[in-house]
Amino acid sequence: MRRGILVKEVKELLRDKYILFNIIILPMLMVFVMGGIALIATQTSTEPLVEGEALAALVLEDPDDPYALRAAEVLGWRVYNSVEEALGESRVVIVVPKGFGDMLSRGEPGRVTVYARLDTISLAQLGAAGGALSAFEEAVRAIVASERGVKPELVINPLEADNVYIYKGREIGFLDLAYMVGLPLIAGFIAFILGSVVAQVGAISIAVEREARTVEILLSMPVSRAEIAVAKLVAVTIIGLLATISFEAGFLAYAYVVLTYTPAPSGPGGESLAGLLVRELVDYVAQRPFDIGILALSAFIAAANMALLGLIVGVAFVGDIRGATSSVGFLSIIVMAPVIYELFAPGAQVPLELKILFHASPIYYPFMIVKGYATGSWETLGAYMVVEALYLVLASLLAAKLMGGEAMIYGARQALRSLLRR
Amino acid sequence: MRVVVEVSGVRKRFGRVEALRGVSFSVLEGEIFCLVGPNGAGKTTTLRIVAGLIRPDGGAVRVFGLDPSGMGLEDRRRLSYLPEDAGVYRNLTGLEYLEFVASVYARSREEALEMVRRGVELSGLGEDLRRRAGGYSKGMKRRLALAAALMVEPELAILDEPTAGLDVAHAVAVRRTVRDYVRSSRASAIVSSHNMLEVEYICDSVALISGGRIVEEGTPSELKDKHGASNLEEVYVKLVGVEAA
């Protein structure tokens, strides 16, 4: 290969502002944006609700249990007599049964029950329960190690725990919880994949018309702007649905392989724990066919929202295919950020300014609809359905308006200038 | 004869560039009107305004007595527009493209079939119409796009540099198609061009545009007589200059 050709290619690519932004600057920004969101979300959900309050507390069935009392002292946790009282002031409560100290003295694991009060169904709040148990386990391990005169690393698995989750004042089982977390997670995942594909196809469909100079012929034909917008919307949604079906087929094939061929050390029946979880979840959803409907509705909404976003971006901001794909790719990640936050953090603790920004994301609505459904928050589901309908109408009107000749041929900036001049 | 297009004092600005500074002309029924000028003179902007794709900042445009940017769909059927360097949908065959255009313009299936039959004939692409248009040469794409523009039998055909970049054989075929169509249908056409030979061959009246203004207008013979030139190229050079040409 001649050096000149290589130099030309490198210059051509590096001088492209979209490539420069997406390859060099965007990855740096994304680490901060996505990591920051997850970090903020996790921090806000693991912080105590009241200032100065510990994350967790202990309930001792034997008020004189030496191990538990020392652990509480080390951790700075308060000790209560009843679970109700403790849960009123702490998000995580570890109940230490009678005979706990005896078990540890005999070298057996001490069995505890962890009660976690969930204000919202989020990964961070589940993580808080795990975090509290780990802290308690570390404290107990250190106490046992010092008693035996050995290094803490030599005290293996000093605790065994049962988990009880309390959501909206009632106990929920692990499978219920997996469902409440899993269904919105799946919805978010589908919305992201489908939305990204559809938005890109939408933007490209406009960019291709502009690059090939077919857009002027199209606009001069006896068809309305709305017809063009709807035709493009439907076409890109079909492409997006096909892409999602393909993705889901790949996911199921992967899950099948995991279930069939991956042995697990701890799962029953030789299955991996991940495989077991997937199977349980699939079985659970199969028993509730309405879930498929709500997921399909959410996927359709996500597709329509993102298709509109793609069309708007295609018309307004870019004049070529490269620009269209990279701009929409960037936007797809940005609009996913609120979903990541919601998966991690309790919505109630999101600052108002951030909450307003979240509502600008087209992926947020379908995700919240499914979350409202999965967690039984019907008021959330209803509110987001109404807002989503308004969102779709407004975005459709904007897209149809942008399909005007000036914006389609010269871009939105020129169209706006002309409008102001007139 | 009836006036089909009336353009008066049209102005258009793109950012700091004033593309049109008061352009005026009219096109009569059954006439081929040529807009001639150097690159950047404002030809394409003028045609886009006449086609109703963009709006002027000032002045007035009437096509069939109507504002083209606010024309109803029924009236839009009466005109067709061929942009400069117009592409084709690369993943459609030539025939599928003609069928698509016909489906938009025709009011019935029979009319659509008739339009496609006419388009096939006008394009002269034969069996190549069954191939995807992405593989066509520039000349073939131009003939396909022109066939699509004329097969719908518009009362006004707006053709932006229909022969630009074509070899001699393709250019001759395109010119002949345009001239024959207008002569046989009594439709009108606005054609922009750089090529003075082409202008003399097909145009009934000519307007020279430069710097966003019409600097001269008349029939080819009127312009030659007025400027004592033996051909339109000399007129063009006198009025626009060699630099701009």
Side-chain angles (χ1 to χ4, degrees):
Chain A
M1 184 177 57
R2 291 187 199 190
R3 186 174 164 274
I5 298 173
L6 178 64
V7 170
K8 188 272 282 178
E9 287 297 332
V10 172
K11 279 183 178 173
E12 176 74 11
L13 294 174
L14 279 182
R15 286 176 182 173
D16 185 295
K17 60 183 177 185
Y18 294 114
I19 290 178
L20 195 65
F21 181 74
N22 284 287
I23 305 297
I24 314 280
I25 299 170
L26 186 60
M28 252 189 304
L29 287 179
M30 286 326 295
V31 171
F32 283 95
V33 172
M34 305 302 262
I37 285 168
L39 189 68
I40 293 167
T42 308
Q43 275 179 351
T44 53
S45 62
T46 51
E47 280 165 6
L49 292 178
V50 180
E51 205 176 329
E53 179 199 64
L55 172 68
L58 289 179
V59 169
L60 305 185
E61 288 183 359
D62 173 4
D64 299 319
D65 189 296
Y67 291 94
L69 285 173
R70 278 176 64 191
E73 193 183 329
V74 169
L75 293 166
W77 291 0
R78 290 180 66 180
V79 176
Y80 294 87
N81 293 321
S82 79
V83 175
E84 289 73 23
E85 188 190 355
L87 276 176
E89 297 191 24
S90 287
R91 220 181 268 177
V92 182
V93 172
I94 297 175
V95 177
V96 180
K98 278 183 181 165
F100 177 76
D102 296 338
M103 284 188 266
L104 291 175
S105 301
R106 288 198 300 269
E108 294 170 10
R111 193 159 197 94
V112 295
T113 306
V114 182
Y115 285 82
R117 171 168 53 78
L118 306 175
D119 304 314
T120 183
I121 301 297
S122 63
L123 295 176
Q125 290 219 342
L126 293 178
L133 181 65
S134 295
F136 185 62
E137 188 174 51
E138 283 308 306
V140 169
R141 175 179 283 127
I143 295 163
V144 172
S146 75
E147 266 193 0
R148 293 182 193 165
V150 296
K151 288 181 178 176
E153 304 90 87
L154 296 175
V155 181
I156 298 162
N157 296 336
L159 295 182
E160 278 183 357
D162 295 317
N163 289 292
V164 178
Y165 298 98
I166 295 164
Y167 179 64
K168 290 186 174 177
R170 65 183 175 89
E171 282 186 23
I172 51 173
F174 179 70
L175 278 180
D176 287 318
L177 194 64
Y179 175 79
M180 287 180 182
V181 175
L183 201 64
L185 193 66
I186 291 169
F189 209 42
I190 291 175
F192 181 60
I193 300 292
L194 177 64
S196 305
V197 171
V198 161
Q200 292 229 358
V201 176
I204 288 171
S205 77
I206 299 283
V208 163
E209 296 261 17
R210 286 172 71 169
E211 269 200 355
R213 305 288 301 266
T214 48
V215 68
E216 292 173 63
I217 297 179
L218 188 65
L219 292 171
S220 69
M221 287 179 168
V223 285
S224 68
R225 307 289 189 257
E227 268 182 281
I228 297 172
V230 169
K232 286 201 176 289
L233 197 63
V234 172
V236 299
T237 304
I238 289 170
I239 303 289
L241 288 174
L242 289 175
T244 310
I245 290 168
S246 160
F247 173 79
E248 294 301 312
F251 177 75
L252 287 176
Y254 170 76
Y256 178 79
V257 170
V258 168
L259 281 168
T260 312
Y261 299 108
T262 313
S266 54
E271 285 179 344
S272 73
L273 214 56
L276 180 68
L277 190 67
V278 168
R279 197 162 63 88
E280 291 283 1
L281 200 61
V282 167
D283 286 349
Y284 204 94
V285 171
Q287 287 163 19
R288 302 179 62 163
F290 193 66
D291 295 358
I292 305 299
I294 203 88
L295 277 177
L297 175 72
S298 124
F300 172 76
I301 291 170
N305 285 355
M306 291 297 280
L308 280 169
L309 180 75
L311 291 182
I312 291 167
V313 168
V315 173
F317 301 109
V318 291
D320 58 65
I321 296 166
R322 216 167 20 185
T325 47
S326 39
S327 299
V328 169
F330 173 66
L331 272 176
S332 298
I333 297 169
I334 292 292
V335 299
M336 193 61 191
V339 174
I340 294 173
Y341 197 104
E342 280 290 339
L343 279 171
F344 274 89
Q349 286 181 243
V350 177
L352 183 65
E353 299 83 0
L354 208 54
K355 198 87 178 165
I356 292 168
L357 273 179
F358 282 6
H359 286 79
S361 164
I363 295 287
Y364 192 63
Y365 298 88
F367 173 78
M368 289 304 287
I369 286 169
V370 174
K371 191 169 180 181
Y373 168 79
T375 56
S377 304
W378 304 113
E379 66 280 6
T380 305
L381 192 149
Y384 276 97
M385 291 283 264
V386 172
V387 178
E388 168 57 32
L390 288 172
Y391 187 97
L392 264 182
V393 170
L394 287 175
S396 304
L397 288 173
L398 179 63
K401 189 77 187 162
L402 279 172
M403 292 284 166
E406 195 115 3
M408 290 278 268
I409 297 168
Y410 299 109
R413 194 190 291 179
Q414 169 60 26
L416 190 63
R417 273 188 194 147
S418 293
L419 191 69
L420 293 174
R421 211 171 291 132
R422 279 198 296 275
Chain B
M1 266 190 288
R2 188 168 65 104
V3 174
V4 175
V5 178
E6 183 81 60
V7 175
S8 50
V10 164
R11 286 179 287 106
K12 183 71 186 175
R13 176 182 280 278
F14 296 105
R16 291 179 183 171
V17 179
E18 200 169 2
L20 300 180
R21 306 165 187 230
V23 169
S24 302
F25 62 86
S26 53
V27 180
L28 301 175
E29 188 179 34
E31 176 182 60
I32 299 180
F33 177 90
C34 285
L35 202 55
V36 181
N39 291 331
K43 300 187 296 293
T44 296
T45 304
T46 305
L47 296 192
R48 282 175 175 165
I49 289 173
V50 173
L53 297 182
I54 58 175
R55 290 182 179 189
D57 295 334
V61 182
R62 286 284 178 271
V63 176
F64 312 126
L66 304 163
D67 173 5
S69 62
M71 225 176 225
L73 298 186
E74 201 51 45
D75 286 307
R76 291 207 75 80
R77 285 180 207 277
R78 299 165 68 188
L79 64 87
S80 69
Y81 174 58
L82 176 68
E84 182 190 2
D85 279 337
V88 287
Y89 294 98
R90 60 176 60 219
N91 292 318
L92 296 186
T93 66
L95 193 60
E96 285 169 338
Y97 179 64
L98 294 177
E99 286 167 349
F100 156 66
V101 175
S103 72
V104 172
Y105 279 87
R107 293 176 185 82
S108 67
R109 185 167 162 69
E110 291 69 31
E111 194 184 358
L113 287 172
E114 180 55 27
M115 279 182 185
V116 173
R117 189 200 59 72
R118 215 162 29 234
V120 170
E121 197 180 307
L122 283 167
S123 73
L125 291 172
E127 277 304 302
D128 285 326
L129 283 171
R130 300 192 182 281
R131 287 200 294 125
R132 286 194 184 183
Y136 285 7
S137 68
K138 187 171 181 179
M140 291 165 80
K141 285 178 186 170
R142 205 69 184 144
R143 285 169 70 174
L144 179 67
L146 183 69
L150 298 183
M151 74 179 193
V152 300
E153 297 194 315
E155 289 175 46
L156 173 67
I158 303 164
L159 312 172
D160 195 356
E161 305 213 14
T163 59
L166 298 187
D167 60 35
V168 174
H170 278 111
V172 167
V174 166
R175 271 179 220 132
R176 193 172 292 156
T177 305
V178 173
R179 199 184 59 172
D180 291 351
Y181 171 72
V182 172
R183 299 288 178 261
S184 64
S185 64
R186 290 201 52 75
S188 308
I190 306 180
V191 178
S192 76
S193 181
H194 281 117
N195 187 328
M196 293 303 119
L197 185 72
E198 173 173 291
V199 171
E200 282 206 73
Y201 179 70
I202 63 169
C203 298
D204 299 309
S205 61
V206 182
L208 262 73
I209 185 169
S210 180
R213 285 196 183 91
I214 301 288
V215 292
E216 191 60 281
E217 198 178 349
T219 65
S221 52
E222 278 172 359
L223 293 180
K224 282 188 284 186
D225 292 345
K226 185 176 175 183
H227 293 279
S230 58
N231 57 50
L232 277 181
E233 204 159 68
E234 285 179 27
V235 177
Y236 182 91
V237 170
K238 270 188 181 178
L239 290 169
V240 178
V242 180
E243 289 293 315

